[in-house]
Amino acid sequence: MGEQTARVRCVPAAPCWVSLMARDLETAKAFYGPLLGWEFVPGPDRWGPYLRAAVEGVEVAGIGVVAGDWQPPVAWTTYFGTESADTAAEGVRERGGTLGVGPLAFDAGRLVLAADPAGAAFGIWEGEPGDDSWTATPGAPVWIELRTGDPFAAALFYGEVFRWDGRDPSHFEVRYEHERVVLRSEGRSVAALHTAKDVAPHWEVFFSVADTDAAVRRATELGGRAAGGTTDTPYGRVARLADPEGGLFSVIGPAL
């Protein structure tokens, strides 16, 4: 990509970035590039090779490879913005969560990798502030959803860590709808906490696509697989997929 890409800014208390830790960078590029229309630009390589994926000139996601012999499961991590990584990290500790990495300086900000009391992993990012919301352009992340046994306990944890109740309601609000605790940022639903008893607690990333069924077929052609049925939801037509290395994510498009 020749032209300079625009960075997504840190939106406090809201999801602002997603990143995949893959085993092989070229395998990930060959799958996600054609599937989601991504172009790639080099990113910081402090912990190994890292690329940023861009859609229409806006960076929307990262893909990295863990350096050394450690091979954790391939997985997407969602990062929430914060004004202070130190304060958020202390909030995680005080409320029964676990800190895995940080706070530490990384690229143009500071980050933390953590897990909530139920074990769902997430990231914290302190960076250049802004009011930008995720773009709804196909290929960009538009929704994340916590699958957990007790979404109300989880909402208390995240709400206290990121001060959800203390935000300006004209820019940020939490509501209950469609059997989910839903976060809205700048007038758009961006995340939810939902009851799921049959899976390990985790944050699932949803990428926007123009046609969900076509995306499922394309993912299969590229070496991935369907990891569940395709269904219409109040938020759009959804399908869960696995990439060639087993990384799980979902796509969401217009309902039929």
Side-chain angles (χ1 to χ4, degrees), residues 141-236:
V142 290
W143 178 257
I144 61 166
E145 189 166 285
L146 178 65
R147 311 281 176 82
T148 190
D150 189 340
F152 298 103
L156 287 174
F157 169 81
Y158 289 98
E160 291 175 348
V161 168
F162 294 112
R163 298 190 298 108
W164 284 351
D165 287 342
R167 304 286 171 177
D168 183 347
S170 66
H171 296 283
F172 186 89
E173 64 174 323
V174 180
R175 62 170 65 173
Y176 187 76
E177 64 183 29
H178 305 303
E179 300 182 342
R180 293 165 171 84
V181 178
V182 174
L183 283 69
R184 289 177 59 83
S185 177
E186 303 300 327
R188 186 166 65 86
S189 297
V190 295
L193 299 85
H194 184 50
T195 302
K197 304 285 190 182
D198 56 345
V199 296
H202 70 282
W203 283 99
E204 182 118 348
V205 180
F206 290 69
F207 293 99
S208 174
V209 293
D211 184 321
T212 302
D213 297 273
V216 173
R217 293 191 295 269
R218 185 63 171 141
T220 302
E221 294 169 356
L222 293 166
R225 61 178 175 84
T230 303
T231 58
D232 287 314
T233 75
Y235 304 101

Side-chain angles (χ1 to χ4, degrees), residues 66-152:
V66 176
D69 296 329
W70 183 48
Q71 290 291 334
V74 173
W76 283 96
T77 299
T78 294
Y79 289 79
F80 288 83
T82 184
E83 296 90 345
S84 169
D86 294 290
T87 300
E90 185 61 29
V92 170
R93 283 192 294 262
E94 290 176 348
R95 292 160 181 82
T98 303
L99 295 180
V101 175
L104 52 78
F106 183 78
D107 195 17
R110 303 180 74 236
L111 66 75
V112 177
L113 294 176
D116 67 23
F122 65 101
I124 298 168
W125 176 248
E126 175 191 340
E128 181 181 0
D131 297 325
D132 311 53
S133 295
W134 277 340
T135 174
T137 303
V142 290
W143 178 257
I144 61 166
E145 189 166 285
L146 178 65
R147 311 281 176 82
T148 190
D150 189 340
F152 298 103

Side-chain angles (χ1 to χ4, degrees), residues 14-110:
C16 61
W17 187 250
V18 296
S19 187
L20 174 73
M21 295 310 296
R23 295 193 179 94
D24 183 83
L25 206 57
E26 293 304 316
T27 297
K29 285 174 60 179
F31 176 77
Y32 288 101
L35 178 65
L36 297 175
W38 286 354
E39 296 182 274
F40 299 94
V41 294
D45 58 1
R46 178 176 177 179
W47 294 332
Y50 190 82
L51 295 174
R52 295 193 183 101
V55 175
E56 296 187 356
V58 177
E59 294 174 8
V60 296
I63 301 178
V65 177
V66 176
D69 296 329
W70 183 48
Q71 290 291 334
V74 173
W76 283 96
T77 299
T78 294
Y79 289 79
F80 288 83
T82 184
E83 296 90 345
S84 169
D86 294 290
T87 300
E90 185 61 29
V92 170
R93 283 192 294 262
E94 290 176 348
R95 292 160 181 82
T98 303
L99 295 180
V101 175
L104 52 78
F106 183 78
D107 195 17
R110 303 180 74 236

